[in-house]
Amino acid sequence: MAPATSILSIEDLSIAYDRDKYAVKNVTATVRKNAITAIMGPSGCGKTTLLRAINRMHELYPNISTEGKIKLYGDNIYEMPTIELRRKIGMVFQRPNPFPTMSIYENVIAGYKLNGIHLKRSERDEIVEITLRDVTLWDEVKNALHKKGTFLSGGQQQRLCVARALAFKPEIILLDEPTSALDPVSTAKIEDLLVELKQHYTIILVTHNMSQAARISDNSMFMYLGELIEYEDTKTMFTNPKDPRTEGYLTGKFG
Amino acid sequence: MDSSILQKRKTMTTTTHFGARSFKSRLFFSIVLLFALITISIVFLIIGTLAAKGFRQINWSFFTQVAPDTFDAMMANASGKIIPGGILNGITGTLLLVGLASVIAIPFGIVIGIYLYENATKRYANVIRDITDVLQGVPSIVVGLIVYLWVVVDITKGYSVLAGSVALAIMMLPLIIRSTEESMKMVPTTLKEAAIALGTPYYKVILRVLIPSSFSGLITGVLLAVSRVMGETAPLLLTTLGNSSVNWNLAKPVSAVPLLIWQFYNDPNMVNLIWSSSLFLMGFVLLLNILSKWIAAKKSIQ
Ligand SMILES: Nc1ncnc2c1ncn2[C@@H]1O[C@H](COP(=O)(O)OP(=O)(O)OP(=O)(O)O)[C@@H](O)[C@H]1O
Ligand SMILES: [Mg+2]
């Protein structure tokens, strides 16, 4: 598969939490710009580890070791300051986690606040409104902007978390099973949102839900025991998987 | 199938012994209830006794005048009047001592507590944790002696507010360290990760996310530490001695409510003031405890 314009290239990446116990093994892949790339695979195959390696969140674990490179527009992210990198690559987590001490408004601009970037009142207002519109939350919360974000429903909270990640205008958004804690209606809203967002952002999505990957992703990775087994155009992978393990997973034989 | 048979058997055995077991458990329950009632009644007896014996002395001058001298007290007792004066020197002294002790102990305690939380599994974190436990076990009179040696003899060259506060701060420190670490642990890791994923520098994650998210826990810990040291007497006897008038000079001796209680106890003319002072101290500590419980409860509702 040859991506149209690539934004990120993962080069022979291996990650071990403890010595010689690899969670990700020799993964090489390029990620297409303005597309949704899904990462699938059975539990424990290294999806989260791979995703977190992209914004270097995996480095929070003390004994972790990383080999190989990840390049963002050709620059090795392991040579960039993490603070700068994480502003370019945003992240949304499995469970909605708005800051409970902050209002909805403050949550959206939390990235600026926490980084000590001072904005004028009008700039802040504008960022909050535009970003909340982007995540289709504006109409629901515009009269409650100064209430705590934790008052929202789970699905609304998750959209708020997407807004928080978007407010910095990152290049890439990483999402780790963002709908696994949500009901079907909220899930559908997030899926629509992601399809909308790919016009301006590149999205990498870990999902356990195969039909979700089939519905919204352009490309799909299938991982198994830390290895990237297959990386294809999503349609091709679902209709004509090359590797028997991919086929086994997609047909529900394991996972 | 097998398990359901097993289940039935279990139920049967339980039924057979039902009578005996029920008697034992009722006996056990009664004993627990009895002990609980005794404990509760001790608390009410303390409060009741203090209130009954102390309330007569609690009036406006109790809060606005310093402790009387023994002659005035004797005269009042002889003519059956209430003892004049109050415990203003003790109240202001306690506020000053505890306030300064908090100023010293809170920053130290919170910084060390956060350090322990951040480095939970490191070896030196465990060493610090053990030392903290040892510090908590040091008898308060020993703390007083050491501070006497360090501060009274070497720094202020005499009994002083500073010495008393250092002694109280040393006693508050382990309590604040532990409560800080515990309340940090209550903050979900996902919040910390959310902040880190936004590119937030480490110190800002602590200042803007961890501390605000655990704020009520931190306050609760500080309030409990304050209420623990507020009634300390022995270390103050060795470090700040007492003062018959109000003092705000940190290098001079000062009085404190528990010190006054001790003095009143040693003066047969002042007996009545013991009870009112104890009632006041008890009430204040109780208030702090209720306040910290209230803050903790408000947090858990969120
Ligand atoms: N903090 C950790 N310390 C040690 N090993 C870990 C840690 N986190 C994950 N692992 C191991 O690394 C491997 C990959 O884990 P990872 O979380 O990346 O899998 P995953 O594909 O995201 O699984 P899931 O679908 O359950 O989320 C697993 O074998 C797991 O046990
Ligand atoms: Mg995972």
Side-chain angles (χ1 to χ4, degrees):
Chain A
M1 191 202 56
T5 336
S6 87
I7 179 167
L8 194 78
S9 65
I10 302 169
E11 297 174 9
D12 201 20
L13 186 77
S14 298
I15 297 168
Y17 283 97
D18 291 307
R19 249 187 313 124
D20 298 330
K21 266 192 64 198
Y22 284 92
V24 170
K25 288 178 214 157
N26 307 101
V27 169
T28 297
T30 48
V31 175
R32 206 176 91 201
K33 196 170 154 67
N34 294 112
I36 299 179
T37 303
I39 306 177
M40 290 182 288
S43 188
C45 69
K47 305 181 294 292
T48 297
T49 310
L50 176 62
L51 192 77
R52 285 173 163 248
I54 299 173
N55 67 349
R56 294 176 62 180
M57 290 286 282
H58 72 308
E59 290 174 6
L60 296 179
Y61 298 105
N63 299 321
I64 205 143
S65 68
T66 313
E67 298 151 45
K69 288 179 188 160
I70 298 182
K71 288 179 175 169
L72 175 66
Y73 289 122
D75 296 326
N76 188 355
I77 64 161
Y78 292 109
E79 283 158 15
M80 280 181 206
T82 48
I83 290 178
E84 191 184 308
L85 172 72
R86 288 173 191 154
R87 286 178 200 175
K88 289 182 185 159
I89 304 183
M91 185 168 229
V92 176
F93 297 80
Q94 186 165 359
R95 295 201 162 269
N97 55 357
F99 294 118
T101 52
M102 298 185 192
S103 66
I104 294 172
Y105 185 98
E106 290 169 320
N107 261 288
V108 177
I109 51 164
Y112 294 91
K113 282 189 69 172
L114 292 174
N115 281 287
I117 299 171
H118 198 77
L119 295 174
K120 273 192 248 132
R121 178 73 198 257
S122 57
E123 290 172 315
R124 270 183 283 156
D125 289 348
E126 191 183 319
I127 291 173
V128 169
E129 178 167 350
I130 291 177
T131 319
L132 286 176
R133 281 191 194 284
D134 282 349
V135 299
T136 66
L137 198 56
W138 176 254
D139 290 326
E140 292 158 58
V141 303
K142 65 182 174 204
N143 296 320
L145 287 177
H146 296 286
K147 285 212 181 117
K148 294 261 183 290
T150 37
F151 280 119
L152 300 172
S153 74
Q156 288 173 322
Q157 286 188 22
Q158 195 61 307
R159 276 181 282 153
L160 179 60
C161 292
V162 176
R164 183 175 65 189
L166 291 183
F168 259 144
K169 299 252 164 260
E171 300 282 345
I172 301 176
I173 307 161
L174 309 172
L175 304 100
D176 193 351
E177 304 186 39
T179 59
S180 65
L182 303 182
D183 62 275
V185 177
S186 307
T187 298
K189 278 191 182 157
I190 299 269
E191 288 180 3
D192 293 346
L193 171 61
L194 294 181
V195 172
E196 202 56 44
L197 288 176
K198 77 174 182 185
Q199 294 172 17
H200 304 288
Y201 304 91
T202 302
I203 292 167
I204 304 178
L205 168 76
V206 167
T207 179
H208 252 128
N209 182 335
M210 278 179 264
S211 54
Q212 179 170 67
R215 275 194 301 272
I216 64 172
S217 74
D218 301 288
N219 300 313
S220 291
M221 296 184 187
F222 172 69
M223 291 183 72
Y224 189 62
L225 298 178
E227 286 175 69
L228 179 57
I229 303 296
E230 196 160 343
Y231 181 24
E232 277 289 359
D233 185 69
T234 299
K235 262 204 202 91
T236 318
M237 185 183 282
F238 275 84
T239 52
N240 192 11
K242 290 199 185 69
D243 194 285
R245 287 168 292 187
T246 317
E247 190 178 355
Y249 180 74
L250 294 177
T251 53
K253 288 214 182 76
F254 57 84
Chain B
M1 277 276 274
D2 278 2
S3 75
S4 82
I5 290 170
L6 212 69
Q7 201 88 44
K8 260 188 203 145
R9 268 227 199 108
K10 257 193 198 154
T11 336
M12 273 167 57
T13 26
T14 327
T15 348
T16 346
H17 294 293
F18 184 74
R21 185 170 290 188
S22 155
F23 173 73
K24 269 190 202 158
S25 71
R26 250 188 292 169
L27 182 70
F28 181 72
F29 181 72
S30 314
I31 292 174
V32 170
L33 196 68
L34 183 71
F35 285 4
L37 281 176
I38 292 175
T39 312
I40 293 170
S41 45
I42 289 174
V43 174
F44 278 98
L45 271 176
I46 292 175
I47 297 174
T49 311
L50 292 182
K53 292 189 173 252
F55 91 100
R56 225 167 63 88
Q57 281 288 153
I58 291 193
N59 48 27
W60 182 243
S61 65
F62 183 76
F63 300 100
T64 54
Q65 291 178 23
V66 297
D69 60 33
T70 185
F71 180 75
D72 290 341
M74 193 177 74
M75 296 304 284
N77 283 333
S79 57
K81 290 199 213 110
I82 60 169
I83 303 174
I87 56 165
L88 181 65
N89 51 337
I91 297 176
T92 52
T94 289
L95 290 180
L96 185 61
L97 285 165
V98 172
L100 184 60
S102 304
V103 169
I104 300 169
I106 292 172
F108 267 87
I110 288 185
V111 166
I112 298 173
I114 291 174
Y115 172 83
L116 291 182
Y117 161 76
E118 282 293 324
N119 301 281
T121 56
K122 296 235 175 84
R123 185 131 50 97
Y124 30 88
N126 282 325
V127 171
I128 293 179
R129 217 174 271 122
D130 290 343
I131 292 176
T132 308
D133 287 346
V134 172
L135 187 58
Q136 190 166 349
V138 175
S140 60
I141 186 98
V142 175
V143 173
L145 268 174
I146 298 297
V147 174
Y148 175 84
L149 211 63
W150 289 346
V151 185
V152 176
V153 175
D154 286 341
I155 300 179
T156 53
K157 317 272 186 216
Y159 296 108
S160 65
V161 175
L162 183 69
S165 297
V166 168
L168 296 187
I170 291 174
M171 301 190 62
M172 287 172 74
L173 202 54
L175 300 170
I176 297 182
I177 291 174
R178 271 319 180 83
S179 69
T180 301
E181 190 187 1
E182 291 308 314
S183 36
M184 290 282 156
K185 278 193 206 154
M186 306 278 277
V187 179
T189 12
T190 54
L191 287 184
K192 200 175 145 192
E193 290 188 336
I196 293 171
L198 289 168
T200 313
Y202 180 70
Y203 75 96
K204 285 237 168 115
V205 175
I206 291 172
L207 287 180
R208 305 294 293 271
V209 177
L210 284 178
I211 291 182
S213 306
S214 58
F215 196 66
S216 59
L218 297 182
I219 295 282
T220 307
V222 168
L223 287 180
L224 287 178
V226 165
S227 71
R228 262 286 285 111
V229 300
M230 191 154 249
E232 279 299 337
T233 321
L236 293 185
L237 279 172
L238 297 176
T239 52
T240 183
L241 195 63
N243 193 329
S244 55
S245 48
V246 173
N247 166 46
W248 297 107
N249 184 340
L250 301 188
K252 290 265 149 45
V254 75
S255 190
V257 179
L259 284 178
L260 282 181
I261 296 174
W262 173 243
Q263 281 164 26
F264 297 154
Y265 174 81
N266 285 313
D267 185 336
N269 294 320
M270 304 276 210
V271 173
N272 283 338
L273 279 174
I274 297 177
W275 302 107
S276 48
S277 311
S278 303
L279 180 64
F280 171 78
L281 190 61
M282 174 86 199
F284 206 98
V285 169
L286 206 63
L287 204 70
L288 286 180
N289 273 290
I290 292 170
L291 193 65
S292 65
K293 289 240 160 62
W294 181 70
I295 292 173
K298 232 182 89 176
K299 155 92 179 198
S300 62
I301 289 166
Q302 257 190 4

